[in-house]
Amino acid sequence: MLDIHKIRADFPILSRKVNGKPLVYFDNGATSQKPQVVIDAISKYYEEINANIHRGVHTLSQLATDAYEASRGKIQNHINAKFAHEVLFTSGTTFGINLVANGFASILKPGDEVLVSAMEHHSNIVPWQMLCERTGATLKVIPMNDNGELIMAEYDTLLSDKTKIVTVNHISNALGTVNPIKYIIDKAHAFGAAVLIDGAQAVPHVKPDVQALDCDFYVFSGHKICGPTGIGVLYGKESWLNKLPPYQGGGEMIKDVSFEKTTYAELPHKFEAGTPNVAGGIVLGTAVDYMNSVGFDNIQQQELELLEYGTRRLLEIEGLKIYGTAAIKTSVISFNIEGIHPYDIGTIIDKLGIAVRTGHHCAQPIMSYFKIPGTIRASFSFYNTKEEIDIMVEAIKRATAMLS
Ligand code: 7TS
């Protein structure tokens, strides 16, 4: 069991007030808060070892390089990648998806198909649309049902020899659905298609095992797992990373450069052009260590309790409808109250110190499916409490009374 008071004391921001009220932070789907160890590690990097990496013979450059590569090793262990060079540092999920989509431009031919799901974040839709426009390939969509679950029977019929890549999220940011990614991966492989998993919303809750999953690519952002912004990971199977062309050209990604011909560096450097986010890369390792010290079993248990309690308490509110009622879901509750715009609730409860997200959550196709402009989304983390849920429920009741 988690000692929740001890955990909360790790996060300085959780003791601040917002608009004169104690902060209730339920926007963890957008970004997580940062524990003191992570904040300290950023300062420590700049105070003690700041230097450019992979290029200097001097001591600081060596220290910074070692710390950066040690962090890559931590991520490798965390996601169980076979090789450290299959772990690429990126600026985040969006960058990772764009890197892969861009690489597939050299593979796809007119008539080929790319499969996305009906519940993707825009960053796992738009890069593939752009790719299809460039290559003449066709984008196909795996549909979902009213509970916000992907319809696997439809997926089975969409797959064919034309399918070259299937790209789905592990967990939906707007609905909380945990998708059957192992099934999706195995079925796609039977047709020779690659699979990219957008793990942005999954890594805060589960420890992915990329070898057990057998996915070809797995992407996520550091800022959603207690790490800094501007750093993320693209895991790619070695064979795929060798096959894809570099995304950006520049320093560090080359072996030899002449005006006639340039040869590229080995993995992972081939995909890491320019000075990277050194501090971010190092501190992402600190964040992953922190998450593991809390323990993913503990995290899941706490979040499941919050999900069950939050669902029950919210459903007490008259006219409240939850979007995303999948059998297997994570601690995200998207909802609306009849006759009230989500933005109005969000604005009023912000005045009471409560942070939720309102709007389409960068998943407009989901909102179109449910024929709504958006939702109010409360996304819980392991450092949240039932008492905070009570505060939110009372605040929503007050807001609803004011608005009806
Ligand atoms: N994919 C999913 C499933 C996401 O939830 C997000 C961010 C992204 C990709 C993009 O991540 P980025 O770090 O590159 O921006 N989701 C959200 C959200 O739900 N609210 O704010 C950002």
Side-chain angles (χ1 to χ4, degrees):
M1 268 303 282
L2 282 185
D3 179 347
I4 194 70
H5 295 294
K6 190 164 162 288
I7 294 284
R8 287 179 70 81
D10 290 340
F11 293 81
I13 209 169
L14 295 182
S15 53
R16 72 159 282 176
K17 289 191 168 176
V18 169
N19 294 322
K21 307 279 182 196
L23 168 66
V24 172
Y25 186 75
F26 284 163
D27 196 16
N28 295 287
T31 199
S32 68
Q33 294 303 346
K34 318 303 170 199
Q36 191 67 51
V37 280
V38 163
I39 299 166
D40 288 347
I42 296 170
S43 304
K44 191 170 144 64
Y45 167 75
Y46 286 113
E47 283 167 10
E48 294 179 9
I49 59 170
N50 175 54
N52 213 324
I53 56 169
H54 297 139
R55 45 195 102 192
V57 290
H58 65 81
T59 304
L60 289 189
S61 176
Q62 200 53 55
L63 287 173
T65 303
D66 290 349
Y68 192 74
E69 292 306 325
S71 178
R72 197 192 302 276
K74 281 182 192 178
I75 312 294
Q76 177 200 356
N77 286 338
H78 183 68
I79 64 174
N80 192 30
K82 194 166 177 193
F83 305 113
H85 60 250
E86 292 177 320
V87 174
L88 309 183
F89 283 123
T90 64
S91 62
T93 306
T94 303
F95 190 99
I97 296 170
N98 276 278
L99 187 157
V100 177
N102 186 74
F104 266 73
S106 65
I107 292 172
L108 297 193
K109 310 252 167 333
D112 285 343
E113 291 177 357
V114 175
L115 254 60
V116 298
S117 94
M119 62 172 81
E120 297 308 314
H121 187 279
H122 296 163
S123 67
N124 200 25
I125 300 174
V126 183
W128 303 106
Q129 276 174 330
M130 290 161 66
L131 170 69
C132 288
E133 273 168 26
R134 265 170 84 183
T135 58
T138 307
L139 193 73
K140 296 262 169 131
V141 183
I142 310 163
M144 67 175 185
N145 64 24
D146 291 349
N147 292 327
E149 295 165 313
L150 295 179
I151 306 171
M152 285 299 101
E154 301 265 0
Y155 172 58
D156 292 348
T157 60
L158 280 168
L159 276 171
S160 75
D161 294 336
K162 291 186 204 160
T163 315
K164 293 294 174 276
I165 185 160
V166 178
T167 177
V168 293
N169 59 40
H170 190 166
I171 294 181
S172 156
N173 72 318
L175 302 171
T177 312
V178 180
N179 284 315
I181 56 168
K182 183 63 187 151
Y183 179 90
I184 290 172
I185 293 162
D186 290 347
K187 280 276 175 172
H189 284 170
F191 286 90
V195 181
L196 180 144
I197 302 296
D198 171 356
Q201 293 293 335
V203 284
H205 313 290
V206 296
K207 197 171 157 149
D209 181 332
V210 293
Q211 288 190 75
L213 286 169
D214 196 28
C215 53
D216 301 285
F217 305 99
Y218 194 102
V219 290
F220 60 93
S221 302
H223 68 90
K224 294 192 204 277
I225 49 167
C226 299
T229 50
I231 187 76
V233 168
L234 161 60
Y235 158 81
K237 272 187 192 160
E238 182 189 58
S239 53
W240 269 112
L241 295 180
N242 280 329
K243 203 179 303 173
L244 295 185
Y247 185 35
Q248 294 185 329
E252 270 307 293
M253 53 75 72
I254 55 88
K255 197 178 274 165
D256 284 301
V257 177
S258 73
F259 286 111
E260 289 69 42
K261 185 167 172 59
T262 290
T263 52
Y264 304 128
E266 300 297 321
L267 296 174
H269 309 294
K270 171 182 159 190
F271 290 102
E272 293 183 354
T275 301
N277 180 352
V278 182
I282 294 171
V283 179
L284 183 57
T286 312
V288 164
D289 283 346
Y290 177 79
M291 297 286 289
N292 281 310
S293 74
V294 176
F296 278 84
D297 288 348
N298 291 328
I299 289 173
Q300 280 162 21
Q301 191 187 339
Q302 172 73 359
E303 291 174 345
L304 186 65
E305 277 182 30
L306 293 172
L307 174 66
E308 283 170 4
Y309 185 75
T311 305
R312 184 155 55 77
R313 291 276 356 246
L314 281 168
L315 286 173
E316 283 170 13
I317 298 169
E318 221 182 292
L320 187 143
K321 180 173 160 55
I322 290 176
Y323 298 90
T325 48
I328 309 175
K329 65 176 282 194
T330 191
S331 50
V332 170
I333 311 179
S334 249
F335 58 93
N336 271 331
I337 297 162
E338 211 183 336
I340 299 178
H341 198 281
Y343 181 80
D344 293 337
I345 297 273
T347 308
I348 293 177
I349 69 172
D350 171 58
K351 296 279 176 287
L352 301 169
I354 302 160
V356 291
R357 186 168 171 191
T358 59
H360 54 60
H361 314 298
C362 301
Q364 282 183 349
I366 298 182
M367 304 304 139
S368 306
Y369 176 91
F370 288 112
K371 301 187 176 59
I372 50 176
T375 69
I376 303 157
R377 182 188 68 177
S379 47
F380 309 128
S381 178
F382 58 91
Y383 46 69
N384 290 129
T385 64
K386 290 182 185 169
E387 291 72 30
E388 290 181 303
I389 291 175
D390 291 338
I391 293 170
M392 176 182 70
V393 170
E394 290 318 308
I396 294 173
K397 283 182 180 167
R398 265 177 74 180
T400 308
M402 282 167 68
L403 293 163
S404 358

